[in-house]
Structures are given as C-alpha cells and as structure tokens.
Amino acid sequence: MSETDRVPVDVAVGVLIERDASGREGRFLLTSRPVGKVYAGYWEFPGGKLEQGETVEEALRRELHEELGITIGAVHDWKIELMDYPHARVRLHFCKVFEWSGEFQMREQQAMAWQQLPVQVVPVLPGTIPVLEWFAAERAFAGATHAG
C-alpha cells in the first residue's frame, strides 16, 4: 500500500489560547505525549482520535476532559492538516478554544506548558509545526495592521 492509499485517521486537536485584556491572543497550551505512546515526550497540542459517529467538536470535548480534566467552551474550527507519520496518516482538525473551566489535571502523566513564540519546549511533534507557523503569520499580520 502506498502512502497515498493509507486511509487517514481523523484527530480533533485543541489549540487552547489565553487572551489578554484587549482580547488579543496570547499564550497557548502544549502538552507532552505520554510514556508508552508513539513519539513519547514530544510536545503537541492536546486532543485525540474521533470515535465512530463523533463530530470533531464532540471528540475534542471528550478528549480534553479525559486527558486534562477540563470542560471547554466554544470550539472554533480553524484549519485542517494532513500528516503522514511512519505509523499512521492523520487528518488533524485544529480548533481554537478560548474558554474552559476546571483545574488542569494531567490524567495521562503528561506535562503541560503555556508557550509563546518561539516555543521553549523541545522536541515538538511534526504535526505541531504548521500551527506554530500559522500563529507566526497571524501575529505578524495583526502586528502590521495595528502598527499603522
């Protein structure tokens, strides 16, 4: 089976972002992949696979509660990226989340880190890199529009 023949696995990914007092996007949350999983120790945005019949939003709500112990507010569909890893082909559904409740609990013994660009944690999962590039482009555009 060639790379293009592999059926992608749909994954809901939560990009949790803090907003400053003026409403501008600030720090974002990265979590480490737990021991025992592929790419253990790599940093990524939290989330997980869609279960049969689930929407992206339903999966994201379930996954973030299971992994982090939080309940999220509105889910804002953002971008979709197809990634080919040696172990799987995944379709990553990135969603921005600005509101959540509950205390963060690392239920899979993963680590968490609030980050800004450039990120200070390494290594970063390959599927996370496009998001960091999108952030850089958005923030450069926002800075240019506010500068004039």
Side-chain angles (χ1 to χ4, degrees), residues 17-111:
I17 303 171
E18 294 179 326
R19 283 191 166 141
D20 65 18
S22 66
R24 281 194 298 254
E25 295 181 9
R27 299 186 312 164
F28 48 88
L29 181 73
L30 291 176
T31 58
S32 65
R33 292 191 51 83
V35 173
K37 287 198 175 180
V38 177
Y39 289 100
Y42 278 69
W43 291 86
E44 65 178 352
F45 292 94
K49 296 176 195 163
L50 275 66
E51 291 180 354
Q52 188 69 35
E54 266 186 329
T55 66
V56 169
E57 181 174 338
E58 290 166 343
L60 189 60
R61 289 184 183 286
R62 177 184 51 76
E63 285 285 346
L64 294 184
H65 189 263
E66 287 175 3
E67 290 180 18
L68 306 177
I70 60 170
T71 300
I72 59 173
V75 172
H76 306 273
D77 293 336
W78 187 28
K79 295 181 183 275
I80 298 173
E81 184 81 3
L82 194 61
M83 292 294 298
D84 272 312
Y85 290 104
H87 70 286
R89 183 178 173 110
V90 293
R91 184 181 300 115
L92 302 167
H93 298 262
F94 292 100
C95 303
K96 287 186 177 183
V97 177
F98 299 100
E99 300 161 348
W100 53 87
S101 60
E103 292 295 319
F104 285 93
Q105 304 164 27
M106 299 296 103
R107 294 180 169 176
E108 296 182 344
Q109 285 66 57
Q110 73 275 41

